[in-house]
Amino acid sequence: MNSKIIISADVEELASRFARILKDDVNNSADFFNLVLSGGSTPGVVFDFLSNNCKTEIEWNKIRFFWGDERCVPPDHPDSNYLIAYKHLFSKIVIPEKNIFRIEGENKPELEAQRYSRIILQNVPLVNNFPLFDLIMLGLGEDGHTASIFPDNLELINKENICEVTEHPISRQKRITLTGKVINNSRKVIFLITGNSKNKIVDTIINRKSGFDKLPASYINPINGELIWLLDKESGKGLSLASK
Ligand code: 6PG
């Protein structure tokens, strides 16, 4: 597995490391750069860093923005992953509307999963019969979920569909998520994980400790791509720094 672990002093340094990777990959890309954004709260800090420090350093017009998952809510709902990106990035950096491919959480979930799968097929090249994204950002839940693939729906890792409808195991909130096969078809997957509350689950997954096999994030392993764990010193406490 082509993976590495990078531990930063704090979330600001983690964000700057992500920005450097994104800048190098986008600016060296010959064509459009198909980027998948993650959801939750962590990306907001990263998007702030990008909009405050990389307005001119990154060739933003080359990036096509997609999402790894979305809550089935309207784009102005506080739970919306799109809203986080809008508030912290799109409202601060001019991005051509045509390059933003939002999951329309306000639609009927089953229809939206089909619609978004079609949008991806129309705009992202296929390799190994799956869309090939250039970079996928992922977060990690304390229960080991990633995107919206939760432990009680582990089969979403190997589903043949590009997108599936799922729901949060506690709130039962409906979600649209990319499936594991699409994620593992990417050129590069970066987990962005901060905070002491994630340390145990990170350790369990990276060091294949007891129960790791029941956790969706344990199955993220790009078949022909690179996996990078961007951690801060709290989430990465006590981990080996060796590249695996
Ligand atoms: C979502 C996600 C989810 C998130 C993790 C981590 O829509 O919630 O995409 O996978 O990335 O739950 O979230 P935090 O960054 O808020 O800890």
Side-chain angles (χ1 to χ4, degrees):
M1 175 157 70
N2 175 9
S3 73
K4 64 182 162 194
I5 301 165
I6 301 173
I7 299 179
S8 299
D10 54 30
V11 64
E12 190 75 7
E13 185 183 281
L14 180 150
S16 89
R17 283 192 158 133
F18 175 81
R20 199 178 315 145
I21 295 169
L22 182 67
K23 176 184 157 217
D24 291 348
D25 288 4
V26 170
N27 295 357
N28 291 326
S29 169
D31 195 353
F32 274 116
F33 188 87
N34 294 311
L35 170 64
V36 171
L37 303 181
S38 58
S41 57
T42 304
V45 181
V46 175
F47 297 155
D48 281 339
F49 185 93
L50 290 170
S51 50
N52 295 335
N53 299 283
C54 304
K55 273 195 171 65
T56 54
E57 284 74 9
I58 295 178
E59 295 172 50
W60 292 100
N61 286 342
K62 288 167 75 172
I63 304 178
R64 280 178 173 156
F65 294 87
F66 299 82
W67 275 262
D69 67 323
E70 183 56 282
R71 291 81 181 283
C72 292
V73 294
D76 59 354
H77 187 284
D79 284 354
S80 166
N81 288 336
Y82 165 80
L83 187 62
I84 293 171
Y86 176 78
K87 277 183 177 171
H88 298 276
L89 189 62
F90 301 149
S91 59
K92 298 176 181 175
I93 291 184
V94 177
I95 305 283
E97 194 61 34
K98 65 180 173 56
N99 289 351
I100 298 175
F101 299 87
R102 177 175 71 85
I103 299 176
E104 296 176 357
E106 65 275 28
N107 293 343
K108 188 173 176 342
E110 288 70 19
L111 295 180
E112 180 54 19
Q114 293 163 17
R115 185 197 73 86
Y116 203 63
S117 298
R118 285 197 302 274
I119 292 289
I120 290 174
L121 286 171
Q122 289 161 7
N123 291 282
V124 179
L126 281 186
V127 170
N128 309 318
N129 295 318
F130 283 92
L132 173 71
F133 284 105
D134 294 295
L135 173 55
I136 297 185
M137 295 171 68
L138 290 177
L140 176 68
E142 291 176 36
D143 62 353
H145 81 259
T146 193
S148 280
I149 305 176
F150 293 95
D152 66 352
N153 215 343
L154 205 47
E155 63 273 15
L156 291 179
I157 288 290
N158 288 316
K159 280 265 179 153
E160 295 295 319
N161 289 336
I162 293 171
C163 297
E164 288 280 352
V165 179
T166 182
E167 51 186 51
H168 190 283
I170 297 169
S171 68
R172 309 318 296 179
Q173 183 184 58
K174 290 252 187 216
R175 306 273 187 99
I176 307 288
T177 189
L178 292 185
T179 57
K181 284 198 170 182
V182 176
I183 295 170
N184 282 332
N185 203 47
S186 172
R187 287 189 205 283
K188 187 174 288 184
V189 174
I190 301 183
F191 275 107
L192 298 104
I193 308 169
T194 62
N196 193 48
S197 68
K198 303 287 176 73
N199 180 245
K200 185 170 173 10
I201 199 78
V202 166
D203 182 35
T204 300
I205 292 167
I206 287 182
N207 293 312
R208 283 7 208 169
K209 291 188 171 175
S210 168
F212 82 94
D213 56 317
K214 297 191 174 47
L215 306 175
S218 298
Y219 296 91
I220 300 306
N221 171 14
I223 44 175
N224 293 313
E226 183 180 12
L227 175 62
I228 299 176
W229 295 85
L230 281 187
L231 309 173
D232 68 358
K233 66 177 185 302
E234 291 180 339
S235 62
K237 194 169 43 203
L239 287 185
S240 151
L241 283 174
S243 293
K244 293 198 182 296

